[in-house]
Amino acid sequence: MGKLTIGCFASLVGSLNLDFAVKLSAAAIEKGHTVDLWVSGNGTMLSIKDQRPFKDYSHLEKPLKELMAKGLTVTACEACAEARGYNKDVTMEGFKRHSMDWYLASTFDADRVLHIGGE
Amino acid sequence: MATTKLGFIVQRPPYKSENPKLALTHAIATQSVEVYLNEGDMVTADIAFIGDGVLNCKKDQKAMDYYGLTSTDQHIKMALLVDINIWVCKEDLEKFGLSEDDLVLDAEEFGADMTVNVVPYSEISKKMEEMNHLLFF
């Protein structure tokens, strides 16, 4: 089995890039691969807890928690999150926060790196 | 001991999105990546500016004066300071009527040895083939 590192810089609301990244993570984990999901820039919005599941907006907290329980590692850029006021208190349980070098380190032994852009 | 080479390709113009700045800050973060790796292992980053992305390399940007923000050319200088290879597509630069004289080419004031390289796209393409992974911004 392989290791997939996915970086996503798009916000939770505004495009379906994060939805795609999470669905791709789910498919890879289902096949037995290891997945590191990194969110940076506006993508750090994914880390906020208590997302209310309106039908008109993406809400990924529930599938994300299920994936974390299955072994998904998901990490937010700490500086990007703090710059947006997404501090530790509003971060969902299990969501890691690190500096950007964590993402680069994750690519070191990744079989594939998929970078999914921002806005 | 092993090295993973990352190629950062910046295609978007400055200030219209966060992408170019994130490319530069992530690339600069290679300087501290060792803390997560075994001794001797490395991750390197090289940056190529192509298409609209070449506009990021315009010198004397005034983002600090007008917005109180670090300008993209200052980030480029920081990248040079930490010995990151930077390539700018010559053909795309010419499409904007720009030349090397319009660009931030070095960071001598910070003591950087590296310089920005303006090269044909064919050379950038060749360099990118040497990378383990490409990240598009």
Side-chain angles (χ1 to χ4, degrees):
Chain A
M1 289 297 114
K3 178 186 171 184
L4 184 62
T5 295
I6 301 173
C8 192
F9 291 27
S11 62
L12 176 61
V13 176
S15 76
L16 293 176
N17 285 338
L18 272 177
D19 295 71
F20 173 75
V22 170
K23 279 188 179 293
L24 184 65
S25 300
I29 284 174
E30 203 62 41
K31 287 181 177 289
H33 300 300
T34 301
V35 181
D36 280 353
L37 175 59
W38 166 259
V39 290
S40 192
N42 287 340
T44 54
M45 189 187 287
L46 182 67
S47 67
I48 301 173
K49 66 181 179 185
D50 298 333
Q51 295 167 22
R52 191 168 167 186
F54 290 109
K55 292 292 184 190
D56 289 337
Y57 303 100
S58 297
H59 46 86
L60 295 171
E61 185 168 358
K62 186 171 177 285
L64 206 52
K65 282 182 172 173
E66 290 168 0
L67 285 173
M68 284 193 277
K70 291 179 180 175
L72 172 71
T73 301
V74 57
T75 308
C77 169
E78 188 167 26
C80 300
E82 289 290 326
R84 290 162 174 79
Y86 308 157
N87 52 50
K88 190 74 181 164
D89 294 342
V90 299
T91 303
M92 75 173 74
E93 193 179 343
F95 213 114
K96 298 177 191 301
R97 286 157 44 110
H98 283 296
S99 47
M100 293 175 180
D101 44 17
W102 182 93
Y103 175 44
L104 302 177
S106 175
T107 70
F108 177 76
D109 58 352
D111 296 289
R112 291 287 184 275
V113 177
L114 291 175
H115 185 78
I116 299 169
E119 285 88 4
Chain B
M1 282 176 60
T3 299
T4 294
K5 296 180 178 180
L6 302 179
F8 288 68
I9 301 176
V10 182
Q11 300 170 290
R12 302 194 195 196
Y15 311 115
K16 296 292 285 181
S17 72
E18 198 181 6
N19 290 30
K21 190 180 74 175
L22 287 172
L24 285 156
T25 50
H26 278 77
I28 290 168
T30 52
Q31 292 307 297
S32 51
V33 73
E34 294 92 344
V35 296
Y36 294 102
L37 304 176
N38 293 323
E39 193 172 341
D41 290 340
M42 283 177 64
V43 175
T44 63
D46 295 336
I47 307 175
F49 292 94
I50 64 171
D52 292 353
V54 300
L55 296 172
N56 288 284
C57 305
K58 180 81 177 66
K59 68 182 177 186
D60 298 330
Q61 295 174 31
K62 305 294 184 193
M64 185 57 75
D65 297 343
Y66 285 93
Y67 302 110
L69 296 172
T70 303
S71 59
T72 312
D73 61 334
Q74 289 298 310
H75 280 299
I76 289 172
K77 285 176 182 278
M78 289 301 111
L80 291 172
L81 183 60
V82 297
D83 296 331
I84 289 173
N85 288 312
I86 297 178
W87 300 297
V88 181
C89 178
K90 187 174 184 291
E91 294 92 332
D92 290 331
L93 202 60
E94 287 170 354
K95 287 175 189 169
F96 286 106
L98 298 171
S99 69
E100 284 194 23
D101 292 341
D102 300 304
L103 304 186
V104 52
L105 291 174
D106 59 55
E108 274 183 7
E109 67 271 41
F110 300 127
D113 297 324
M114 302 289 283
T115 57
V116 168
N117 302 292
V118 177
V119 295
Y121 181 76
S122 57
E123 194 170 324
I124 290 175
S125 183
K126 200 174 167 185
K127 295 279 187 191
M128 291 300 130
E129 286 175 14
E130 299 169 8
M131 303 295 147
N132 296 105
H133 303 291
L134 297 178
L135 293 82
F136 292 85
F137 290 79

